[in-house]
Amino acid sequence: MMFIASPWEIVGMLRISALFTENAELAALSEQAEKLTLSQQQWNAIVPAPLKPYTQAGSVSHKRLTVYADNGAVAAKIKLLLPSLMVGLQKQGLEVTSIRVEVQVKSSPAKASKKLRVISPVAAASLEKLAGELKGSALGDAIARLSRRR
C-alpha cells in the first residue's frame, strides 16, 4: 500500500522542516535528539534482554557513552559486561572508548492502600465461637478481631 500525502500535509511538513532549519537552537536540539535515538537503538541491539528494560543509553561525549541504570544491581551487572558491550557497540559503528554507568533512580508510584478483606457471616460465627473458647489469650484476642471483619 502506498501513502500519498495531500497538498496540505506536504505544506505542513515543509513548514515544520523549515522551522527546524531556520532556528539554530531547534536544529541543534533536533540533532541531539537524533544522536540520542541512534545511541539508544545501538545500545538496545547489544545489551542482554533481561537488562534492557532497566537501562537507557545517554549521550556520547569525548568517545564515552553514558548509560543510566535503574538501580545498583543493574549497574553492577553492566560493569561486569563492559568489555563485551564495548566490542558490541564498536561493531555497531558507535565510536566509543569507554562506558560510564550511572544509577538513575526512578520515582516509584505511591503504593495502593490494602483493601480490607471481609469474611462470610458463617466464618465470622465460627471464629467468634473459637475466640470465646480461647478468651483471655493473645490468640483468642486476634481471632476475635478477625471475626469482626464482616
Side-chain angles (χ1 to χ4, degrees), residues 8 12 43 95 119:
W8 297 112
W43 175 254
E95 292 183 35
I119 57 175

Side-chain angles (χ1 to χ4, degrees), residues 135-146:
K135 192 171 189 170
S137 68
L139 180 59
D141 295 340
I143 292 175
R145 281 192 307 273
L146 183 62

Side-chain angles (χ1 to χ4, degrees), residues 10-24:
I10 294 172
V11 169
M13 286 185 255
L14 291 175
R15 286 182 184 164
I16 290 174
S17 65
L19 179 67
F20 278 103
T21 56
E22 290 174 6
N23 189 331

Side-chain angles (χ1 to χ4, degrees), residues 3-81:
F3 175 75
I4 300 174
S6 72
W8 297 112
E9 290 172 325
I10 294 172
V11 169
M13 286 185 255
L14 291 175
R15 286 182 184 164
I16 290 174
S17 65
L19 179 67
F20 278 103
T21 56
E22 290 174 6
N23 189 331
E25 291 175 359
L26 286 178
L29 186 62
S30 176
E31 182 181 341
Q32 184 180 6
E34 287 175 12
K35 287 179 182 178
L36 285 171
T37 301
L38 179 62
S39 66
Q40 183 66 44
Q41 289 171 346
Q42 291 171 329
W43 175 254
N44 285 341
I46 58 122
V47 71
L51 296 176
K52 201 177 292 188
Y54 306 105
T55 62
Q56 182 176 357
S59 61
V60 177
S61 177
H62 305 290
K63 295 189 178 185
R64 179 185 355 179
L65 173 67
T66 303
V67 174
Y68 300 100
D70 285 0
N71 56 55
V74 173
K77 184 64 176 178
I78 291 171
K79 287 179 182 180
L80 288 173
L81 298 172

